[in-house]
Amino acid sequence: MDTEQAPRFTYQKVHRYLSRWLDARAPGQAHRLPSLREVARQLQVSLSSCKQGFALLESQGRIQARPKVGYFSVVQAPTVPLPATANLLDRVFASARQPGMLALSSDAPAMLGALDGPLLLLERELLRRTPPAELPPFQPLGEPQLRAALARDYSQASSEPWQADQVFIGPDLRSVFDLALQALIPAGSVALVESPCSWLILGRLRAAGLQVIEAPLDGEGRMDLDAVAQMLETTPVRLAVLSSRVNAPQGNAMPAADKRRLCDLLARHRVWLFENDSYGGLCADLPAYREHADPQRLLVFASFDKCIGAEAPFAYLLCRSATAPLAEAFFARGFRLPTYRQRAIAGLYGCARIDRQRTLLGRQLAASAGRMAALLRQHAGDCLQGAMPLAGATFWLRATRPVDMDAVCEKLLAEGIVIAPGSLFSQAGRWRDHLRLSVTVDWRQDIEGALVRLAQAVRQAPQLP
């Protein structure tokens, strides 16, 4: 079978046929699609497969059904082109959100099963039971119920319980991270980060005016703690930003003994540890840095959307020793977050729905990663290699020869496929022959065909000098 041309499932054949049919039409007007029976007859497939293909296009927002009339293409709002000077990160980010693009670059676990439905049901029940007139004024630090729920959740694995007044809620991860930097870390300070590092973290550190240093690595690409110890003796590092349990995007975990040693080094030099716990709840059996860190120099931050879904975009941070400056920063910013939505999230914690969701997502991520690994071995085993992630939503892959993954990304963008090249995760020029590949994909799409095209692009890519 020609895998590039022949989809593995029949409905993918229908989806590809209709996608090409739509691409060939003028985008500024609605077009009536061939009927289900016409497509079934043309492609010699069943009506059931046709319905699946149409449904997938409808879920992607490319077509809509008009009762008793048929299916019509959706007129898309004109896309504002990025300037020619836009960097690769901006183009990857924008392309992943354009209709018709197949994004293999996401890191959103809740795509495999969100709690949006139960969350909105809880919110409607709260609206019914508590009229707006009975609500207190807005809470710039977050709703007390949600702050208390997070304090209880984090206290389960802590020898020292967290308190609600040590928890702060903001609109998104970017905002709470920025406020934490503003409140605790002076501009011009030196920040140590793991490598590879989240592009959001790198960008916010630069925007805050901090000097970013990527942790030294040993010959196997792991953090070199001896070199870190030497660096801390000579460099006035004020802040370290590290993933709590599993490095994102690599998906591996530093041994507990190494985490303890690193935390001892940071404490000795009075370095603030900002622990990114975005994936921590999905791998609670692995050790976290906060189990060994100096509690007076520890701040934990994360967002709800990784576990709950897009209807819970808020983020939070926990800190024991700097509640006053953090509260001052949050009061000054004056976030006005939806009260009922925050209380509904607290309700998900209160009924243990979050715990069940974490368990379920962990299983789904493992199953999706296994499925992706099998396809990678089949179609890209000669040109890409990487270990199974311990947790998280991505694979971290290296080309078997030193190719420029930026060039691979550019080629695939032109073909409607979005990947995240390794250069986005370093400002020191590392990881140019790596890429991050998501396991949270829509398996109704032709993922196998996309991986075949990825492998071909890697084989044809120019070699790094």
Side-chain angles (χ1 to χ4, degrees):
M1 179 178 71
D2 182 357
T3 312
E4 184 182 13
Q5 299 301 325
R8 187 183 184 104
F9 301 105
T10 308
Y11 72 84
Q12 293 176 349
K13 180 178 180 180
V14 176
H15 177 269
R16 181 177 293 180
Y17 170 81
L18 293 174
S19 295
R20 290 172 175 169
W21 189 95
L22 291 167
D23 292 341
R25 267 66 188 173
Q29 62 189 67
H31 300 276
R32 183 175 180 176
L33 276 71
S35 70
L36 287 166
R37 294 187 182 280
E38 289 172 336
V39 174
R41 189 165 50 249
Q42 171 75 19
L43 301 181
Q44 297 183 340
V45 299
S46 68
L47 277 176
S48 175
S49 295
C50 271
K51 289 177 181 177
Q52 283 183 280
F54 274 79
L56 178 54
L57 277 172
E58 193 170 13
S59 71
Q60 294 170 338
R62 299 200 67 189
I63 65 174
Q64 61 182 2
R66 298 182 185 176
K68 299 183 180 180
V69 179
Y71 286 90
F72 287 78
S73 61
V74 173
V75 179
Q76 303 288 346
T79 302
V80 179
L82 288 172
T85 56
N87 60 35
L88 184 59
L89 173 58
D90 290 337
R91 283 184 285 123
V92 167
F93 196 79
S95 298
R97 284 151 181 78
Q98 289 181 9
M101 299 293 284
L102 200 164
L104 300 178
S105 56
S106 171
D107 66 341
M111 287 177 60
L112 295 180
L115 281 180
D116 290 345
L119 175 65
L120 297 177
L121 283 173
L122 272 173
E123 184 178 36
R124 285 196 289 271
E125 179 63 18
L126 289 169
L127 280 164
R128 186 183 65 79
R129 293 198 323 242
T130 312
E134 298 179 13
L135 292 176
F138 80 98
Q139 305 282 349
L141 307 183
E143 278 297 304
Q145 293 95 323
L146 183 53
R147 299 174 73 193
L150 283 167
R152 287 192 299 271
D153 186 60
Y154 274 83
S155 295
Q156 294 177 20
S158 174
S159 57
E160 181 181 350
W162 289 91
Q163 305 300 322
D165 63 358
Q166 298 169 336
V167 181
F168 303 84
I169 314 294
D172 52 42
L173 197 68
R174 178 190 301 253
S175 299
V176 300
F177 189 69
D178 285 352
L179 278 186
L181 293 175
Q182 171 190 322
L184 303 178
I185 310 298
S189 299
V190 179
L192 174 69
V193 300
E194 59 199 351
S195 186
C197 179
S198 158
W199 61 48
L200 184 147
I201 299 300
L202 289 174
R204 301 327 299 162
L205 291 172
R206 289 195 296 265
L210 302 184
Q211 178 186 347
V212 179
I213 296 178
E214 296 180 35
L217 305 175
D218 62 20
E220 297 181 354
R222 298 188 179 93
M223 192 180 299
D224 187 334
L225 295 183
D226 290 335
V228 170
Q230 294 177 8
M231 182 192 66
L232 291 174
E233 293 290 343
T234 58
T235 306
V237 175
R238 186 70 176 265
L239 165 69
V241 185
L242 304 168
S243 300
S244 62
R245 301 184 189 275
V246 170
N247 173 277
Q250 281 181 318
N252 60 14
M254 181 184 287
D258 288 354
K259 286 189 173 181
R260 186 180 301 108
R261 182 187 175 195
L262 180 55
C263 286
D264 288 344
L265 290 171
L266 297 178
R268 187 185 313 159
H269 293 276
R270 297 185 61 77
V271 177
W272 271 98
L273 170 58
F274 280 22
E275 185 182 56
N276 185 351
D277 200 38
S278 295
Y279 289 107
L282 301 177
C283 48
D285 55 329
L286 297 173
Y289 282 103
R290 60 181 175 272
E291 297 167 14
H292 312 292
D294 176 3
Q296 301 304 307
R297 286 288 186 275
L298 171 67
L299 182 144
V300 182
F301 67 97
S303 60
F304 296 104
D305 59 340
K306 298 293 186 192
C307 182
I308 297 176
E311 294 294 340
F314 316 129
Y316 58 88
L317 60 84
L318 298 92
C319 184
R320 301 185 192 277
S321 63
T323 55
L326 286 170
E328 182 180 351
F330 273 76
F331 271 111
R333 181 61 180 82
F335 295 127
R336 291 178 177 266
L337 306 183
T339 297
Y340 291 107
R341 185 64 54 86
Q342 291 183 78
R343 292 188 175 189
I345 295 173
L348 292 177
Y349 278 89
C351 67
R353 190 65 185 267
I354 292 293
D355 289 334
R356 295 197 298 272
Q357 172 74 350
R358 289 167 177 161
T359 301
L360 177 62
L361 274 183
R363 292 172 183 162
Q364 291 174 321
L365 286 167
S368 191
R371 187 172 179 182
M372 183 70 75
L375 290 174
L376 286 168
R377 285 194 298 269
Q378 180 181 355
H379 299 295
D382 65 312
C383 59
L384 291 172
Q385 62 183 23
M388 279 288 291
L390 293 176
T394 58
F395 273 95
W396 185 245
L397 302 172
R398 181 179 68 85
T400 54
R401 64 185 182 92
V403 303
D404 184 358
M405 210 60 75
D406 285 5
V408 173
C409 178
E410 298 279 10
K411 177 178 175 59
L412 291 175
L413 284 176
E415 298 179 15
I417 299 172
V418 188
I419 64 167
S423 63
L424 301 183
F425 302 89
S426 169
Q427 71 169 25
R430 297 174 178 173
W431 315 111
R432 290 292 301 275
D433 58 347
H434 285 67
L435 78 148
R436 187 188 73 182
L437 193 67
S438 174
V439 304
T440 55
V441 294
D442 185 346
W443 287 102
R444 298 174 301 174
Q445 297 186 358
D446 187 11
I447 304 302
E448 183 174 14
L451 293 179
V452 169
R453 290 156 73 185
L454 166 62
Q456 290 175 339
V458 171
R459 295 184 191 107
Q460 298 165 3
Q463 187 158 314
L464 289 167

